[in-house]
């Protein structure tokens, strides 16, 4: 059955394919259009550069009136990202507007990476290091950047194997 | 979950605020639960009810009871809307579409307005792809009503969550556009040192944000549709104060305001 949420998600997907924004990609999972996998590439000239961070987006039938639940699957070290990967970002909460689509969400998260908001820390250690010890902060970020590649390889192999069968 | 983070020991403290718990999610979960309860119990726009039902509602409240009595000769019926922060817009669009099915020339005018509004929103920088989606849905509804226009159809459309919410979103975009176009004027009425643009992002465009005076001024001016609001509250005097938006326009829609909520009124 086609509901407004599903119809809109199909349009979001079409748009992502036709007019892909730089540095992000996303697609619905094979069996469920309400759950998407996404990748955000760490922005250039930032400590996150070269990172390939995986995320999931979970939509409800209330999309686009309500935002999806967006979480990092890759390990993240960032002042506004919780230990469970949840993201503290105003447009995903009280400043959500139905005019945002998947591309807008992902590009906003991408810019959040290098522009953290220290006023709403979700990871107090990251927030503290970001403000007081930038060198240590960048070291920790570099570690999760490297880790993001490893995760990526594992998953790729897994997916390829699935395709073969 | 391969990446389930093991909490760093320095972060684990047993205090009331636990940074390892996603506080936003907790708050959102609670808000969601409250919203679900309202949703399960109240239609987005309810059935036509006799106005005497309001009297019964206030049988133990002398102030409201006597004020409702002054409404009775003027109004005969009420339709209650769901109190979800969209009540003004839902009430407005229901009453307006109902008016339009009995005034076809107004429906034609509204359709032309909607068609033109899309380009205007694009020019103002609203995201093309999503704005178009909401406009398309609205055009579909109006085209549908041109053909099979009946009050049953309006009831069905406004109580279909997906469609109804899309109409509400588009009205919010129209309000936002009108406020921003006339930012110089409206900036005097915005509290908290916010710009008109910030106000629109926080209080107008997101769903479930209540409409206040500014929203109503902007919407009725943008659409050129007259609305009379009857204010039923504990204010002084024994009668119900009314206000027309815009002031120079004959009202075609009547709404009943009670603190924090709007319902639809029908003239006797």
């Amino acid at each position: 059955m086609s509901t407004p949420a599903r119809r809109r998600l199909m349009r979001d997907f079409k748009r992502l394919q036709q007019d892909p924004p730089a540095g992000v990609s996303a697609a619905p999972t094979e069996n469920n259009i309400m759950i998407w996998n996404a990748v955000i590439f760490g922005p250039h000239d930032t400590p996150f550069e070269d990172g390939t961070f995986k995320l999931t987006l979970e939509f409800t039938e209330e999309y686009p009136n309500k935002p999806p639940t967006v979480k990092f699957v890759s390990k993240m070290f960032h002042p506004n990202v919780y230990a469970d990967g949840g993201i503290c970002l105003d447009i995903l909460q009280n400043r959500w507007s139905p005019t945002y689509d998947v591309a807008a969400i992902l590009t906003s998260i991408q810019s959040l990476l290098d522009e953290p908001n220290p006023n709403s820390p979700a990871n107090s250690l990251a927030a503290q290091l970001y403000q007081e010890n930038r060198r240590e902060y960048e070291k920790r970020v570099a570690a999760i950047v490297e880790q993001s590649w490893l995760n990526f390889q594992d998953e790729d192999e897994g997916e390829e194997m699935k395709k073969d069968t | 979950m391969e990446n389930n983070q093991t909490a760093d020991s320095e972060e684990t403290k047993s205090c009331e605020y636990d940074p390892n718990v996603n506080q936003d999610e907790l708050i959102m979960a609670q808000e969601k639960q409250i919203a679900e309860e309202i949703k399960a119990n109240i239609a987005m726009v309810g059935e036509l009810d006799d106005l005497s039902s309001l009297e019964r509602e206030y049988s133990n409240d002398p102030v409201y009871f006597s004020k409702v009595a002054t409404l009775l000769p003027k109004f005969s019926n009420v339709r209650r809307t769901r109190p979800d922060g969209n009540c003004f817009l839902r009430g407005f669009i229901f009453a307006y579409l109902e008016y339009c099915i009995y005034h076809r020339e107004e429906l034609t005018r509204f359709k032309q307005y909607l068609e033109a509004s899309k380009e205007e929103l694009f020019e103002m920088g609203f995201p093309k792809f999503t704005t178009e989606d909401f406009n398309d849905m609205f055009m579909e509804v109006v085209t549908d009503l041109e053909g099979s226009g009946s009050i049953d159809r309006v009831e069905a459309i406004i109580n279909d969550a997906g469609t109804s919410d899309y109409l509400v979103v588009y009205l919010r975009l129209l309000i936002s556009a009108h406020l921003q176009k006339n930012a110089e004027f409206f900036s005097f009425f915005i509290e908290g040192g916010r710009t008109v643009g910030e106000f629109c992002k926080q209080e107008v465009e997101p769903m479930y944000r209540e409409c206040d005076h500014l929203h109503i001024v902007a919407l009725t001016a943008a659409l050129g549709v007259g609305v009379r609001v009857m204010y039923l509250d504990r204010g002084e005097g024994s009668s119900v104060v009314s206000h027309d938006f815009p002031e120079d326009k004959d009202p075609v829609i009547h709404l009943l305001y009670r603190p924090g909520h709007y319902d639809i009124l029908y003239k006797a």
Side-chain angles (χ1 to χ4, degrees), chain B residues 62 69 93 101-102 116 177 213 216:
Chain B
I93 197 59
I101 59 173
Y102 299 117
H213 219 76
I216 304 175

Side-chain angles (χ1 to χ4, degrees), chain A residues 4 7-8 11-12 15 62 64-67 69 71 73-76 82-84 86-88 92-101 121-125 140 151 155, chain B residues 2-3 5 8 10-11 17 19-25 28 35-36 39 127 129-134 136-137 140 162-163 165-166 169 173 201-202 205-209:
Chain A
R7 194 179 83 146
R8 167 65 187 272
R11 292 192 62 183
D12 278 24
R15 183 183 177 229
E62 284 173 292
N65 302 315
K66 288 200 175 156
T69 304
K71 280 190 171 163
V73 178
S74 305
K75 191 176 166 85
M76 182 44 71
Y82 289 96
D84 69 352
I87 302 162
C88 186
L92 292 177
Q93 277 110 23
N94 57 352
R95 278 190 166 209
W96 169 256
S97 158
T99 60
Y100 298 136
D101 61 357
N123 178 336
S124 43
L125 178 65
R140 299 254 187 157
N151 281 330
E155 284 283 317
Chain B
E2 72 220 286
N3 286 302
Q5 288 193 355
D8 295 330
E10 66 260 47
E11 284 177 342
Y17 174 77
N20 291 313
V21 174
N22 189 328
Q23 301 291 329
D24 301 306
E25 282 193 356
M28 284 171 91
E36 293 293 331
K39 216 157 89 178
F129 163 75
T130 48
T131 303
E132 194 160 41
D133 195 34
F134 296 113
D136 283 352
M137 179 74 97
E140 270 174 40
T163 314
D165 286 347
Y166 261 51
V169 169
L173 300 186
K201 282 268 169 281
Q202 290 167 14
E205 291 176 27
M207 285 290 275
Y208 316 107
R209 283 286 200 291

Side-chain angles (χ1 to χ4, degrees), chain A residues 2 7 11 20 36 41 45 53 76 79 87 89 117-118 120 140 143 146 152:
Chain A
S2 175
R7 194 179 83 146
R11 292 192 62 183
W36 289 43
F41 298 93
D45 303 321
F53 305 107
M76 182 44 71
I87 302 162
L89 176 61
N117 175 7
S120 53
R140 299 254 187 157
E146 259 184 55
F152 221 73

Side-chain angles (χ1 to χ4, degrees), chain B residues 16-17 39-40 49 67 86 100 138 144 179 188 194 202 216 233 253 260 262:
Chain B
E16 268 186 40
Y17 174 77
K39 216 157 89 178
D49 217 347
K67 285 195 177 185
N86 291 319
C100 283
F138 221 137
D144 173 16
L179 290 172
F188 294 108
R194 291 177 286 182
Q202 290 167 14
I216 304 175
D233 55 24
I253 294 168
Y262 293 87

Side-chain angles (χ1 to χ4, degrees), chain B:
Chain B
M1 289 275 290
E2 72 220 286
N3 286 302
N4 226 343
Q5 288 193 355
T6 45
D8 295 330
S9 56
E10 66 260 47
E11 284 177 342
T12 341
K13 282 174 201 152
S14 60
C15 55
E16 268 186 40
Y17 174 77
D18 181 353
N20 291 313
V21 174
N22 189 328
Q23 301 291 329
D24 301 306
E25 282 193 356
L26 288 182
I27 293 167
M28 284 171 91
Q30 191 183 16
E31 284 174 348
K32 197 176 167 196
Q33 194 196 336
I34 295 168
E36 293 293 331
E37 279 172 28
I38 291 174
K39 216 157 89 178
N41 295 317
I42 308 171
M44 281 188 275
V45 174
E47 295 189 348
L48 200 62
D49 217 347
D50 212 86
L51 201 61
S52 58
S53 63
L54 266 185
E55 266 190 323
R56 286 196 295 278
E57 212 173 298
Y58 291 115
S59 55
N60 293 320
D61 188 326
V63 177
Y64 274 75
F65 187 82
S66 64
K67 285 195 177 185
V68 169
T70 70
L71 284 176
L72 277 169
K74 295 176 206 147
F75 299 96
S76 57
N77 295 88
V78 60
R79 262 186 212 271
R80 288 176 178 76
T81 65
R82 181 184 290 170
D84 63 356
N86 291 319
C87 59
F88 170 78
L89 294 169
R90 201 100 63 190
F92 171 88
I93 197 59
F94 185 100
Y96 183 52
L97 291 179
E98 186 177 16
Y99 176 81
C100 283
I101 59 173
Y102 299 117
H103 300 80
R104 291 301 172 126
E105 70 292 346
E106 181 69 11
L107 189 60
T108 310
R109 187 190 75 85
F110 183 52
K111 195 180 179 187
Q112 285 162 357
Y113 168 82
L114 276 181
E115 181 71 59
S117 68
K118 182 168 75 172
E119 292 304 323
E120 199 183 329
L121 292 176
F122 294 164
E123 275 164 33
M124 290 187 67
F126 284 85
K128 191 164 183 209
F129 163 75
T130 48
T131 303
E132 194 160 41
D133 195 34
F134 296 113
N135 183 276
D136 283 352
M137 179 74 97
F138 221 137
M139 292 298 285
E140 270 174 40
V141 164
V142 170
T143 308
D144 173 16
L145 288 178
E146 276 182 326
S148 61
S150 68
I151 185 63
D152 292 347
R153 197 69 202 120
V154 175
E155 277 180 349
I157 288 166
I158 302 296
N159 278 310
D160 172 64
T163 314
S164 189
D165 286 347
Y166 261 51
L167 305 188
V168 169
V169 169
Y170 198 71
L171 294 179
R172 288 181 177 278
L173 300 186
L174 294 175
I175 295 172
S176 173
H178 186 84
L179 290 172
Q180 293 186 63
K181 258 190 302 183
N182 301 283
E184 206 179 325
F185 172 72
F186 285 111
S187 62
F188 294 108
F189 303 98
I190 287 171
E191 293 165 357
R194 291 177 286 182
T195 66
V196 171
E198 283 166 350
F199 178 80
C200 288
K201 282 268 169 281
Q202 290 167 14
E203 307 293 344
V204 180
E205 291 176 27
M207 285 290 275
Y208 316 107
R209 283 286 200 291
E210 285 178 24
C211 284
D212 70 11
H213 219 76
L214 270 194
H215 300 71
I216 304 175
V217 168
L219 181 69
T220 53
L223 266 59
V225 175
V227 175
R228 177 169 293 168
V229 179
M230 310 297 294
Y231 292 91
L232 179 58
D233 55 24
R234 291 191 193 282
E236 271 180 48
S238 57
S239 64
V240 175
V241 178
S242 72
H243 190 88
D244 289 355
F245 301 88
E247 280 174 9
D248 57 353
K249 204 138 181 118
D250 285 336
V252 297
I253 294 168
H254 296 82
L255 297 175
L256 173 68
Y257 172 84
R258 285 176 281 175
H261 187 65
Y262 293 87
D263 293 305
I264 307 168
L265 280 177
Y266 289 83
K267 285 191 90 171

Side-chain angles (χ1 to χ4, degrees), chain A residues 38-57:
Chain A
V39 177
I40 291 179
F41 298 93
H44 294 298
D45 303 321
T46 77
F48 294 91
E49 181 164 7
D50 295 333
T52 47
F53 305 107
K54 299 177 76 177
L55 304 93
T56 55
L57 295 88

Side-chain angles (χ1 to χ4, degrees), chain A residues 141-156:
Chain A
V141 171
I144 56 107
V145 165
E146 259 184 55
Q147 215 173 328
S148 76
W149 306 330
L150 296 176
N151 281 330
F152 221 73
Q153 279 172 354
D154 294 350
E155 284 283 317
D156 274 358

